[in-house]
Amino acid sequence: MLPICDLGRITFSAISQLYSRLPFCHVGFILLLNPIRFMRHYFSIFFYVKKKQPLKCGKLPIFCRISINKKTCTFSTHLSVEKFRWNNIRRRVKGRDEVARRTNALLDKIYYSLHEDYQTLLRSQMEPSPQELRRMHQGRHNTSEGI
C-alpha cells in the first residue's frame, strides 16, 4: 500500500521511483494522473518596442510577446513611448516622472495578470498555449487604458 501524498508536489523523479516500486498490476493507478500537470513548460513574457513602425505622433508602440514551449504570440499593449526613453535591457521606460511610472505600472499589471492567467490555465488541466493566454488576457482586461 502506497502512502498518501500531496499530488501537487510530485516530481518526475518521484513518479519514476513510484513506477520502480509498484508491481505491474498497480501501474494503472499512476496512468490515471494527468500528464499535463507534471510537464515542465518554458514560459516567458517579453516587452519590446517596434522601432520600424512608429506611430504618427513619433512615439514607438510597446508590444508583448508570450512564449510557451517555443510557441509565440504577440499583441499590442496599447501603450507607447519615445525612442530615447525605452530601456532595452530592463524592458521598461526610463525615468522617474509620472508618465514613466504610469507606463511601467501598466506594464507590470499586464505582466502579473498574464502570470495569473497562465496559472489558471495550468490549474484547469489544459495544455497552455500563448494564443489561449492572449485570448484570456484580452477578454478579461482592458489594456487600452493609456496614460
Side-chain angles (χ1 to χ4, degrees), residues 31-46:
L31 296 177
L32 293 176
L33 298 175
N34 191 350
I36 293 173
R37 184 172 184 155
F38 300 112
M39 285 180 57
R40 289 192 175 202
H41 296 283
Y42 172 78
F43 174 65
S44 70
I45 300 170
F46 183 77

Side-chain angles (χ1 to χ4, degrees), residues 2-65:
L2 288 175
I4 298 174
C5 60
D6 182 14
L7 294 180
R9 295 183 182 182
I10 291 182
T11 61
F12 286 102
S13 60
I15 291 175
S16 64
Q17 288 175 1
L18 285 173
Y19 273 120
S20 64
R21 291 182 192 169
L22 291 175
F24 182 72
C25 60
H26 290 241
V27 174
F29 172 74
I30 299 299
L31 296 177
L32 293 176
L33 298 175
N34 191 350
I36 293 173
R37 184 172 184 155
F38 300 112
M39 285 180 57
R40 289 192 175 202
H41 296 283
Y42 172 78
F43 174 65
S44 70
I45 300 170
F46 183 77
F47 294 108
Y48 67 97
V49 294
K50 282 201 171 183
K51 294 180 181 178
K52 294 184 179 182
Q53 297 176 349
L55 301 174
K56 290 181 182 177
C57 62
K59 292 183 175 183
L60 301 175
I62 301 174
F63 279 75
C64 178
R65 179 180 297 134

Side-chain angles (χ1 to χ4, degrees), residues 43 45 109-123 133 136 140-141:
F43 174 65
I45 300 170
K109 182 179 176 183
I110 292 169
Y111 182 84
Y112 291 123
S113 66
L114 283 170
H115 269 283
E116 287 175 11
D117 293 341
Y118 177 71
Q119 292 300 323
T120 303
L121 279 177
L122 286 179
R123 276 188 238 110
L133 190 60
M136 242 177 114
R140 253 191 357 190
H141 304 286

